[in-house]
Amino acid sequence: MAEKKRPQQRNGFRTNEYIVYPAHGVGRITSIEEQEIAGAKLELFVISFDKDKMTLRVPTTKLESVGMRKLSEDKIVKKALTTLKGKARVKRTMWSRRAQEYEAKINSGDLISIAEVVRDLYRSEAQPEQSYSERQLYEAALDRMARELAAVEKLDEESAVAKIDDILAKSARTIKAAAEAAEAGKAAA
């Protein structure tokens, strides 16, 4: 019995292409295969997440409902990196509510929303220690952002994390210097 040739492309996605799956981050399509499940034939993307040592099978017809997308374009990556430079916007609501909002942004798969979480939860050495749950959310957001940045800019993950940390540290110093200048101005007046 001859084996059927597997398709190399479906719905604009190709095998060996890196993609973003919102709930898990950056993965690579290893193959497109057909399986029989409960008597119905389904065509599936087989997506490998090497860092998590996980393989996911997604029906080719369910791409939109799960939110699977291609890697961000350079323009969106630049906007996400610019977002990191902004001032943290922390709402004065209960932590549990903010944590839910951060979790939703991380799992949205939207690089700019993830950058907002990284920016809002970043702590420089001069700032107070984070709680365990804050640190967990920050690290999850940083990991998702770094993995996509690494895939887009063809860097290793450590270099991507270093680039993000560098932007955050410079931004924190600039914001601190501006606040000190404002204080000095008030004192002189």
Side-chain angles (χ1 to χ4, degrees):
M1 191 168 117
E3 190 178 312
K4 236 175 30 176
K5 189 175 183 298
R6 288 184 174 173
Q8 296 295 305
Q9 183 172 349
R10 275 292 173 274
N11 302 348
F13 292 96
R14 281 194 282 295
T15 54
N16 290 320
E17 177 180 23
Y18 284 94
I19 54 90
V20 175
Y21 190 87
H24 302 292
V26 176
R28 188 173 56 83
I29 299 173
T30 53
S31 66
I32 301 169
E33 58 186 40
E34 202 173 271
Q35 286 186 349
E36 191 170 316
I37 299 172
K41 284 199 183 295
L42 272 180
E43 193 171 48
L44 306 166
F45 284 114
V46 179
I47 305 166
S48 170
F49 297 89
D50 294 335
K51 186 172 184 182
D52 302 325
K53 295 176 178 57
M54 176 177 73
T55 301
L56 193 64
R57 286 174 169 71
V58 180
T60 56
T61 56
K62 297 282 185 194
L63 296 183
E64 276 197 29
S65 63
V66 298
M68 190 169 116
R69 65 173 175 80
K70 292 186 175 286
L71 292 174
S72 296
E73 295 173 5
D74 289 340
K75 183 175 74 177
I76 293 176
V77 171
K78 280 184 177 69
K79 187 171 182 187
L81 293 174
T82 303
T83 299
L84 294 175
K85 295 176 186 174
K87 192 174 188 315
R89 294 190 186 101
V90 180
K91 293 180 184 168
R92 295 283 167 221
T93 57
M94 288 178 59
W95 168 246
S96 60
R97 172 89 26 98
R98 282 196 328 249
Q100 283 178 335
E101 289 173 10
Y102 290 145
E103 192 78 47
K105 282 183 172 187
I106 292 168
N107 289 328
S108 72
D110 177 41
L111 190 60
I112 294 166
S113 294
I114 295 169
E116 289 171 0
V117 175
V118 171
R119 176 199 64 204
D120 293 351
L121 292 177
Y122 172 73
R123 294 281 182 275
S124 67
E125 286 83 46
Q127 292 175 305
E129 191 69 23
Q130 285 178 309
S131 70
Y132 178 76
S133 57
E134 274 183 301
R135 202 167 41 255
Q136 292 298 101
L137 283 170
Y138 171 74
E139 288 171 5
L142 180 64
D143 180 61
R144 291 272 173 90
M145 186 173 182
R147 282 162 65 180
E148 186 161 358
L149 182 65
V152 170
E153 295 191 354
K154 296 180 181 23
L155 303 167
D156 58 277
E157 238 175 274
E158 292 79 35
S159 300
V161 169
K163 183 174 184 170
I164 293 167
D165 278 341
D166 188 45
I167 291 168
L168 289 166
K170 281 180 184 167
S171 173
R173 283 194 299 271
T174 305
I175 291 168
K176 185 180 178 203
E180 286 171 356
E183 281 297 315
K186 284 181 189 173

